[in-house]
Amino acid sequence: DEVLKLKDEAAGDDDDDDTFLDEAELKSFLDADSLNRFLIARNNNFNEACKMARNALRWRCKFHPTKLTIQDFAKANSQKVWRFMGYAKNGWPIILIRAAVWDPSKYSLEEYTKMVAFYMENNIARMKDEKEHRNFLFFDMRGMSYLNSDLRKIRALSKITSDYYPERLGICVVINADMVTMALWEVVRQIVDKRTADKARFFCSGYQEYLAEHIGLENITTDLGGTLTEDWPEVTEENQTEYKSPS
């Protein structure tokens, strides 16, 4: 009953915001499973869940994540920071993010938001077990240039995963973390809800055993401590539709 009431509230008219009228986003968003995640994220507080869902729906109707292609974030994608990996042993689809090649100064916050939305939306489409609906984010911080880092974009990533895709994150694993990484995390975690923050795992070193247990070294490239010699493919105009459903 709470989910049905939340659906009615989230789909309500909003005369002050024209972006709130995208029927495709409404259709993709307003199902019991999606709305139930907002209730869980807000500890079944209906009013808070309703507010969260309406904000997420406004965001979706502005950025249209179901319609995005890599042409919408061509500069960001050309850096090859993000790419789809395989699956964790529990079936969660993995997104690999290599921080060393990230130069956020080359593109806007809006383009970064579109890139994150594209990968989140398509990683959900890759999920094999519809009952789980969890993402596995895998960050390699080795070689990151903190002089080029952009706190606005880091905060945007946290907000998108926490507020607009609640209860989608299964775990966020960060390897080769250093003191600066941890300092940044202390700043970012202030804007992330506790449920999301508790899913982060940081490793300075000695992470191979954890990766072997949860992913399998055969699925991890050699530069990350695994045995896979061929890198996971970058997403291109030619292959981007291949990630719409599990292989």
Side-chain angles (χ1 to χ4, degrees):
D1 291 341
E2 290 293 281
V3 172
L4 292 176
K5 287 192 293 182
L6 180 58
K7 177 178 180 179
D8 292 337
E9 290 289 335
D13 293 332
D14 192 328
D15 295 333
D16 296 328
D17 192 346
D18 292 338
T19 65
F20 206 53
L21 303 174
D22 190 314
E23 294 296 329
E25 294 301 335
L26 284 169
K27 182 178 180 180
S28 69
F29 181 80
L30 295 178
D31 62 81
D33 178 69
S34 294
L35 294 170
N36 189 54
R37 290 186 286 104
F38 288 93
L39 286 168
I40 294 172
R42 289 297 178 259
N43 297 313
N44 289 316
N45 183 313
F46 176 77
N47 290 332
E48 290 298 316
C50 180
K51 179 181 178 180
M52 186 183 194
R54 285 179 66 82
N55 287 337
L57 193 50
R58 287 191 184 95
W59 177 84
R60 293 185 70 90
C61 290
K62 178 180 180 181
F63 288 100
H64 312 287
T66 61
K67 301 174 183 177
L68 290 172
T69 69
I70 64 169
Q71 290 88 338
D72 294 307
F73 52 94
K75 290 181 180 178
N77 192 67
S78 68
Q79 294 183 2
K80 306 176 185 178
V81 179
W82 290 55
R83 62 183 69 199
F84 296 112
M85 274 184 59
Y87 294 83
K89 290 185 177 180
N90 62 4
W92 293 347
I94 305 170
I95 297 176
L96 170 64
I97 302 101
R98 289 189 173 100
V101 292
W102 187 41
D103 186 353
S105 67
K106 300 299 184 181
Y107 54 89
S108 67
L109 178 60
E110 179 177 352
E111 184 168 344
Y112 180 76
T113 299
K114 290 178 179 180
M115 179 180 70
V116 174
F118 172 89
Y119 276 91
M120 292 293 292
E121 201 72 18
N122 285 279
N123 213 43
I124 291 169
R126 296 174 64 218
M127 294 176 180
K128 296 180 178 180
D129 185 353
E130 295 184 356
K131 296 180 180 179
E132 275 298 328
H133 293 304
R134 295 290 189 273
N135 290 307
F136 190 125
L137 299 187
F138 183 19
F139 287 83
D140 176 22
M141 304 303 293
R142 179 184 52 191
M144 178 176 177
S145 173
Y146 293 100
L147 293 176
N148 287 332
S149 64
D150 187 332
L151 192 56
R152 294 183 311 152
K153 292 183 175 70
I154 295 172
R155 285 174 172 166
L157 171 60
S158 300
K159 186 172 182 62
I160 291 168
T161 56
S162 179
D163 292 1
Y164 305 143
Y165 291 93
E167 299 302 307
R168 286 294 194 192
L169 181 63
I171 195 167
C172 175
V173 175
V174 183
I175 64 171
N176 296 311
D178 57 18
M179 293 179 63
V180 181
T181 300
M182 301 311 300
L184 280 173
W185 170 240
E186 289 303 317
V187 174
V188 172
R189 74 180 301 162
Q190 303 304 316
I191 63 169
V192 179
D193 64 86
K194 187 177 184 301
R195 292 178 66 91
T196 301
D198 288 346
K199 296 172 183 177
R201 302 287 185 274
F202 290 85
F203 297 88
C204 298
S205 60
Y207 46 79
Q208 282 81 3
E209 183 177 350
Y210 184 91
L211 298 181
E213 178 183 355
H214 294 279
I215 301 176
L217 296 182
E218 70 279 5
N219 295 315
I220 299 171
T221 53
T222 53
D223 64 310
L224 302 176
T227 60
L228 184 64
T229 56
E230 185 176 351
D231 202 357
W232 292 97
E234 62 182 280
V235 181
T236 65
E237 293 184 25
E238 290 72 26
N239 70 10
Q240 62 182 319
T241 57
E242 297 175 11
Y243 300 100
K244 294 293 184 182
S245 60
S247 57

